[in-house]
């Protein structure tokens, strides 16, 4: 596709420099424009999650623990406080507590990011319940239907920095995964990337609910998202280089 690129100096002063086509123009000047923002590199850089930050069942939770729902949902979870995770360190009434953070079961990275500051500011014991609100309710014996969560490409990329992801691309992969779930590592997670694949509700176990996700739009949408992110990063770096050169002239 012809993008009408007029050169870096012209683009830097262009009123449309924030448009995505202009960013592509910038990025085209850099051969390795993804800056490692590609799927293969991302999955190779995975770090292990730390199990000591988590609890996996109600039996592990102290009886005096304070359960805090940090999801953005309007749904009310009985017996919990509802607070944004980034605000917790400012709540003095939470000092010296045993705190369990209850998320949506897929976006752990944003909660993990806040753990150390919450602990430091509150002098409290803070852990994350692994599995999210739906599994929490199930373990409490509430009438709830276990489901397979949908995960967006942006969420997948963020979560890929910790914990291993494995693709489910066909029925054979799906059957093998369902049979092997009890033997997999706690933090291994699976992304269904074929929109035609579905798990019958009677086969969705608690383990499946916390470990298997449906990637919205499949692998193509994920690759498109990552290519776009790579272009934006490359364009930013190219503009920074241009600005540096301009300042030395």
């Amino acid at each position: 596709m012809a993008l009408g690129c007029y050169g870096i100096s012209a683009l830097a002063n262009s009123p449309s420099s924030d448009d995505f086509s202009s960013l592509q123009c910038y990025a085209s000047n850099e051969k390795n424009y993804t800056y490692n923002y590609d799927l293969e590199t991302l999955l190779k850089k995975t770090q292990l999650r730390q199990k000591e930050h988590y609890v996996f069942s109600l039996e592990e939770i102290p009886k005096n623990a304070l359960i805090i729902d940090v999801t953005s949902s309007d749904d009310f979870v009985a017996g919990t406080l509802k607070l944004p995770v980034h605000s917790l360190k400012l709540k003095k009434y939470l000092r010296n507590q045993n705190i369990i953070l209850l998320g949506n079961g897929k976006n752990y990275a944003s909660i993990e990011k806040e753990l150390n500051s919450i602990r430091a500011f509150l002098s409290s014991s803070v852990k994350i319940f692994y599995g999210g609100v739906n599994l929490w309710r199930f373990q409490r014996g509430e009438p709830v239907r276990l489901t397979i969560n949908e995960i967006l490409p942006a969420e997948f990329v963020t979560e890929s920095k910790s914990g291993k992801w494995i693709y489910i691309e066909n029925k054979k992969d799906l059957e093998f995964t369902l049979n092997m779930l009890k033997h997999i590592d706690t933090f291994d997670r699976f992304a269904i990337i074929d929109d035609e694949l579905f798990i019958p509700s009677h086969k969705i176990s608690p383990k499946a609910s916390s470990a298997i996700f449906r990637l919205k739009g499949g692998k193509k949408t994920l690759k498109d998202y990552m290519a776009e992110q790579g272009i934006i990063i490359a364009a930013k770096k190219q503009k920074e280089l241009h600005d540096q050169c301009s300042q030395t002239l």
Side-chain angles (χ1 to χ4, degrees), residues 75-113:
D75 190 20
F76 175 70
V77 181
T80 72
L81 284 177
K82 182 81 169 181
L83 294 167
V85 67
H86 60 81
S87 73
L88 298 185
K89 58 181 175 290
L90 305 176
K91 308 297 184 184
K92 293 183 179 180
Y93 58 84
L94 297 179
R95 288 182 61 84
N96 302 310
Q97 301 280 341
N98 283 317
I99 296 174
I100 303 297
L101 304 179
L102 190 58
N104 61 16
K106 56 180 178 178
N107 297 332
Y108 296 104
S110 59
I111 305 177
E112 289 176 342
K113 186 178 179 181

Side-chain angles (χ1 to χ4, degrees), residues 153 192-195 214-223:
I192 297 175
I193 60 174
D194 184 342
D195 290 337
R214 181 174 297 281
L215 180 61
K216 186 172 184 179
K219 196 172 182 179
K220 181 183 183 303
T221 302
L222 175 62
K223 285 188 172 181

